[in-house]
Amino acid sequence: MTDWPEAFDLAVVGGGNAALCAAITAAEAGASVLILESAPLPYRGGNSRHTRNFRCMHKGPMFPLTGQYEEDEYLHDLMLVTKGKTDEGLARLAIRTSEECLPWMQAHGVRFQPSLSGTLSLSRTNAFFLGGGKALVNAYYNTAADLGVKVAYEAEVTHVHLDGDRITHLEATIAGTPVTVRARAFVLASGGFQADIDWLARAWGPAARNFLIRGTPYNRGVVLRDMLDQGAEQVGDPTQCHAVAIDGRAPKFDGGIVTRLDCVPFSIVVNRDGDRFYDEGEDVWPKRYAIWGRLVAAQPDQVGYALIDAKSIDLFMPSVFPPVKADTIEGLASAMGLDPQAVRRTVDGFNAACRPGPFHPTELDGLRTEGLNVPKTNWARPLDTPPFYGYQLRPGVTFTYLGLKVDARAQVHTSQGPVRNLWAAGEIMAGSILGQGYLAGFGMTIGTVFGRIAGREAAAHVA
Amino acid sequence: MSLDLSTLTPTEEARRQIEICNACRYCEGFCAVFPAMTRQKAFSDGDLTQLANLCHNCRGCYYACQYTAPHEFALNIPAALAEVRVESWERLARPQALARLFQTHGVAVAGLLVVVLAWFFWALFAWRPDTGAGFYAHLAHNTMVAIFAPAFLAPLALIALSIRDFWREVGGGQVRLAHLVTALSGAARMKNLSGGHGEGCNFENGDRFSDRRRVFHQLMMYGFLLCFASTASATVMHYALGWEAPYPLWSLPKLFGVPGGVMMVAGTIGLVRLKLAADPELGAARVWGAEMAFVLLLGLVALTGLALYAATGTGIVGPLLALHLASVMVLFLLMPYSKMVHGFYRLAALVAEAGKPEPVRGGE
């Protein structure tokens, strides 16, 4: 094991949004900073690469956000998705600080899209990055480079050495070579553990081996495990992860945004045995999007099949892979590896339960089935117009909830009290605020707010 | 999901990439290509031709893309569209063989220059008039007109036919004044090289933004238009006013031509340097040499024009005149077959885009 050539004021473990916010903040305060990014350069940025927007409180219109989105409404939205599983103090801190983050982001190179007139009405609550998360990551790396921050890629931290109430050094491999990294302060921003399939399988059961990982393959939770093993206080449920239903043909890792499928409300979804298992028309898609990962994960082989007909094929966002297409229901079932008779029975039963009425694809239209055990309560139209189309669905994991508990200064604690020179930011501590569920753009809010706090505190510690 | 990418034609490869792009849409806001692609889920060859000619190769989308190699989706939209674009210029040019020759062969450009140059020297010696002042002491005005009028008009006519075919292929509709105004204002400001935030593109400095390409391109374009105005004003003065060259400094041809020439030379130097700094893998790599030759040819036209003015009354006017006339002639002759044609296609694509319905926006 060799020593890193110089000792730094601050070593930041991780290379995504939270890590960069911490590094930039500390460097601006005069600290010398090293970023240890486990990915090679083309994959730098962790899950931030795949993100798209930032949820931001604001009292009045603020570019690019329209209207106002105040603390209580924001908190209310968070309470809805977490069902109260949040630390309200930290949540309010994140929400309140998000307002000053937006101009800070712009001042550090992040560019936003003019507000979208799009379908989701997020232009009031969420600011969209021009070019997406990788553009944000690029801007921050350039800003950091201009501030003299050093970056080591392919730098995997294997051990954070805790000695009493202080971290003395990190053990890491950089491009395969073992090194010791010395610094006076440390920020952990190395994400969750969702890319460690074995860990997922231990937590979830063997079904997790069939999950797809939507984000970076580099969030393997090595540092998180190491800190928990050394007695760091933990938050979140280790058995839980946030999963959405994505295209079953997506890559095992890193499929990102394009693997989403928006077709479910206009389809019927059957499992491997050709049976429906949940109300596809429960609510508009973005709201119910998140639950389908869990629903599909509970089905045999963790797979579902969304079936639609020619009436509905143009009602949703384009998919990255073309749908399977056939002229008959039986043909579609065979092409997707399903039993044609079973699917035919399900479709016939569904079609017979549909009632005529006005169909409104953009709102809850109450067009519901009658007499089915698993009803479809909106957008229920018979599958009767060929050609028929099908998409395979699988659970796509976006992140895990287990993490390090932090205080309002982003400091990490063990049962013995605070670790004097250790802070955490981003997904590794997000469970402190987001105990379950998800709110679009909130991960970036937590990362930015706590990244800046961690950077500020670390710089103050070494000043 | 794996594809054998090597077997795809440029259009098929662009279609593969655009379909992935269209499912993401993070880049909407960079330039006109992204909103345009959201109009449909399936892309005809004509749709891809249109998107390719809207693309200004600013490369912002490449550096922002989470799906570039080594990711298995291996997106490289700037290169994919550049290939389709060049292919469309070749396919729609007439005769196509000349397009294939000059699009990809910088050496052929230089070779043509040498041949035309030799021919001009021969003309200067053989047809030297008995009277005349300035250039016309070397080559009679009527002779020049007789040589240049067809060399200018014939390529324009060929380009007009190609643009007509392009218009049909991309499904351009009725042209309205408002579409022209939108397109010309976009071209005048190089809106599509602004990066969507006014800080320029990622052409020459990795993922950092720079406005240099936009500035140098504008110097080149406006310089060229000034030089064109210089020639046009001289033509009017010659025929309508009976005022023959040489013209003094405070005359329209010189007031247009000298700054125009200086701007073109500056634009050439800038664009050549940027092109050397840029990653060739993000453009149509096979035409890199010819594109470079074309920029240098534009620079040569401007430089020899300025030199000719500076050398007024000296003994090297003859050789300089031959060099200048030859480079201008080659520029004109190559118009339908060189990078020069991009201006016509870009403008046509912008006009067609202005006439299409507002795209539908989406999001997660």
Side-chain angles (χ1 to χ4, degrees):
Chain A
M1 184 157 302
T2 55
D3 270 14
W4 183 264
E6 45 186 311
F8 290 85
D9 291 331
L10 172 63
V12 178
V13 183
N17 172 56
L20 290 159
C21 288
I24 289 169
T25 304
E28 280 182 338
S32 65
V33 182
L34 171 69
I35 288 176
L36 295 152
E37 162 60 297
S38 64
L41 196 151
Y43 284 126
R44 69 183 181 184
N47 274 345
S48 306
R49 271 178 70 221
H50 291 297
T51 62
R52 181 184 202 180
N53 57 60
F54 174 79
R55 185 171 288 252
C56 185
M57 176 188 125
H58 54 109
K59 298 190 188 78
M62 176 164 81
F63 182 84
L65 297 161
T66 56
Q68 58 185 43
Y69 188 47
E70 301 218 51
E71 185 176 333
D72 287 340
E73 186 186 357
Y74 197 149
L75 186 70
H76 176 75
D77 289 345
L78 181 64
M79 287 300 181
L80 278 183
V81 299
T82 59
K83 309 243 183 337
K85 273 196 184 176
T86 184
D87 177 327
E88 189 178 328
L90 291 183
R92 283 191 185 273
L93 173 65
I95 289 169
R96 226 175 275 150
T97 314
S98 68
E99 190 172 26
E100 67 177 58
C101 286
L102 194 75
W104 185 90
M105 294 164 84
Q106 288 174 319
H108 292 85
V110 178
R111 296 293 169 259
F112 292 94
Q113 303 248 24
S115 77
L116 296 173
S117 56
T119 51
L120 298 182
S121 317
L122 286 171
S123 58
R124 186 173 68 86
T125 56
N126 290 50
F128 285 70
F129 315 134
L130 187 57
K134 190 172 167 193
L136 168 138
V137 164
N138 289 343
Y140 281 158
Y141 273 102
N142 286 328
T143 302
D146 293 345
L147 290 166
V149 172
K150 294 234 174 18
V151 182
Y153 293 104
E154 298 178 63
E156 292 189 63
V157 173
T158 51
H159 179 54
V160 180
H161 196 88
L162 178 64
D163 187 0
D165 62 354
R166 302 188 69 80
I167 304 298
T168 55
H169 65 275
L170 305 173
E171 288 170 16
T173 61
I174 296 181
T177 307
V179 292
T180 303
V181 177
R182 297 188 187 283
R184 296 161 63 201
F186 300 85
V187 170
L188 305 181
S190 49
F193 67 87
Q194 65 275 13
D196 183 339
I197 305 290
D198 290 334
W199 191 342
L200 278 184
R202 280 199 301 279
W204 253 83
R209 299 206 178 271
N210 283 332
F211 293 180
L212 303 171
I213 310 304
R214 241 183 145 193
T216 178
Y218 296 93
N219 279 6
R220 291 184 291 254
V222 177
V223 170
L224 173 63
R225 175 86 275 152
D226 181 58
M227 286 309 301
L228 294 178
D229 288 349
Q230 294 183 80
E233 284 189 66
Q234 86 172 49
V235 289
D237 182 346
T239 70
Q240 294 298 310
C241 63
H242 185 257
V244 297
I246 61 171
D247 195 310
R249 298 162 291 179
K252 183 73 179 171
F253 291 101
D254 230 5
I257 184 72
V258 298
T259 60
R260 71 145 124 50
L261 282 175
D262 288 355
C263 61
V264 166
F266 308 117
S267 67
I268 64 167
V269 179
V270 300
N271 63 13
R272 185 197 64 185
D273 304 325
D275 298 322
R276 289 177 61 245
F277 51 88
Y278 197 82
D279 177 6
E280 303 88 347
E282 187 175 56
D283 205 342
V284 288
W285 187 230
K287 272 192 198 156
R288 302 315 294 157
Y289 184 49
I291 70 162
W292 279 84
R294 196 162 291 272
L295 291 169
V296 172
Q299 295 303 309
D301 295 343
Q302 295 72 52
V303 64
Y305 301 86
L307 312 177
I308 56 177
D309 71 357
K311 295 196 297 293
S312 301
I313 188 69
D314 286 325
L315 294 177
F316 52 92
M317 282 279 290
S319 53
V320 67
F321 303 117
V324 177
K325 183 178 168 186
D327 290 327
T328 61
I329 292 290
E330 287 84 354
L332 183 65
S334 305
M336 301 190 80
L338 298 168
D339 175 12
Q341 267 61 53
V343 174
R344 170 47 77 188
R345 271 196 304 278
T346 300
V347 170
D348 285 347
F350 175 81
N351 287 356
C354 290
R355 293 289 167 265
F359 169 77
H360 296 293
T362 53
E363 56 191 88
L364 297 172
D365 63 0
L367 189 60
R368 56 178 302 143
T369 57
E370 279 175 19
L372 288 182
N373 283 336
V374 178
K376 183 172 180 184
T377 51
N378 289 289
W379 313 294
R381 295 193 296 177
L383 258 76
D384 56 8
T385 312
F388 300 97
Y389 300 91
Y391 292 96
Q392 189 196 80
L393 300 171
R394 283 191 183 277
V397 179
T398 50
F399 59 87
T400 45
Y401 294 96
L402 179 70
L404 303 178
K405 188 168 194 284
V406 297
D407 59 24
R409 294 169 59 227
Q411 197 148 33
V412 176
H413 292 244
T414 67
S415 49
Q416 269 71 53
V419 183
R420 300 278 166 210
N421 60 346
L422 182 67
W423 293 267
E427 221 172 276
I428 198 171
M429 49 62 69
S432 303
I433 301 167
L434 192 64
Q436 76 174 59
Y438 188 61
L439 202 53
F442 195 51
M444 292 300 277
T445 306
I446 295 173
T448 308
V449 168
F450 282 88
R452 291 175 63 220
I453 292 173
R456 186 190 70 209
E457 296 292 323
H461 178 80
V462 300
Chain B
M1 191 92 179
S2 67
L3 282 166
D4 185 0
L5 304 183
S6 60
T7 61
L8 300 180
T9 67
T11 303
E12 288 166 347
E13 171 60 6
R15 182 175 292 116
R16 178 191 78 85
Q17 295 199 21
I18 289 291
E19 283 176 359
I20 295 172
C21 233
N22 197 28
C24 171
R25 301 190 176 178
Y26 280 14
C27 289
E28 80 182 305
F30 273 139
C31 74
V33 170
F34 297 95
M37 80 171 63
T38 63
R39 280 200 200 90
Q40 62 251 306
K41 281 183 178 175
F43 297 89
S44 68
D45 289 1
D47 295 332
L48 293 167
T49 305
Q50 166 69 358
L51 293 177
N53 280 285
L54 269 184
C55 168
H56 287 52
N57 203 236
C58 83
R59 309 175 174 201
C61 63
Y62 177 85
Y63 289 103
C65 181
Q66 58 201 305
Y67 300 116
T68 52
H71 194 284
E72 65 186 79
F73 289 164
L75 294 196
N76 184 345
I77 295 289
L81 293 184
E83 295 290 349
V84 172
R85 188 160 61 238
V86 171
E87 189 272 335
S88 75
W89 301 341
E90 279 179 15
R91 181 166 41 79
L92 297 171
R94 41 198 92 198
Q96 285 183 19
L98 288 180
R100 277 195 289 277
L101 180 63
F102 291 112
Q103 286 282 358
T104 51
H105 291 74
V107 179
V109 176
L112 181 66
L113 180 63
V114 171
V115 171
V116 173
L117 180 63
W119 180 63
F120 263 104
F121 271 116
W122 175 80
L124 291 185
F125 288 124
W127 292 348
R128 190 182 181 96
D130 299 327
T131 57
F135 321 136
Y136 305 135
H138 297 272
L139 194 60
H141 182 267
N142 287 344
T143 314
M144 267 196 223
V145 171
I147 294 170
F148 272 94
F152 178 59
L153 294 175
L156 278 185
L158 292 175
I159 289 172
L161 292 173
S162 302
I163 294 296
R164 190 194 58 179
D165 291 349
F166 170 80
W167 197 257
R168 284 185 188 145
E169 185 172 315
V170 307
Q174 190 81 39
V175 179
R176 294 179 195 283
L177 183 62
H179 306 160
L180 287 173
V181 169
T182 305
L184 285 170
S185 120
R189 292 174 291 136
M190 281 282 119
K191 191 166 166 249
N192 284 300
L193 285 184
S194 77
H197 43 47
E199 288 163 292
C201 54
N202 303 103
F203 189 78
E204 76 277 8
N205 193 8
D207 58 37
R208 287 185 188 256
F209 291 93
S210 154
D211 235 346
R212 268 174 276 174
R213 182 146 175 256
R214 187 153 63 136
V215 168
F216 287 125
H217 186 284
Q218 295 300 60
L219 280 173
M220 185 66 99
M221 184 177 85
Y222 285 112
F224 182 83
L225 291 175
L226 282 174
C227 290
F228 193 77
S230 164
T231 307
S233 62
T235 305
V236 171
M237 284 158 69
H238 184 95
Y239 286 108
L241 308 176
W243 182 7
E244 293 192 5
Y247 301 107
L249 181 59
W250 300 109
S251 64
L252 277 184
K254 289 289 185 287
L255 288 175
F256 285 136
V258 173
V262 170
M263 285 162 70
M264 281 179 73
V265 171
T268 300
I269 293 168
L271 289 177
V272 164
R273 290 179 62 168
L274 296 186
K275 204 165 171 56
L276 289 171
D279 184 347
E281 296 298 315
L282 308 190
R286 69 188 174 98
V287 298
W288 190 94
E291 287 182 357
M292 189 59 107
F294 166 72
V295 178
L296 291 170
L297 177 64
L298 274 171
L300 183 66
V301 167
L303 195 63
T304 52
L306 290 173
L308 198 53
Y309 179 45
T312 304
T314 69
I316 59 164
V317 166
L320 272 177
L321 182 65
L323 188 56
H324 181 62
L325 293 180
S327 56
V328 172
M329 168 74 93
V330 170
L331 185 70
F332 285 167
L333 289 176
L334 283 183
M335 259 197 294
Y337 316 115
S338 67
K339 183 72 187 278
M340 190 75 179
V341 83
H342 82 278
F344 298 92
Y345 280 89
R346 279 268 163 51
L347 198 56
L350 289 169
V351 175
E353 179 60 22
K356 296 202 175 204
E358 270 295 296
V360 186
R361 305 240 237 167
E364 174 151 306

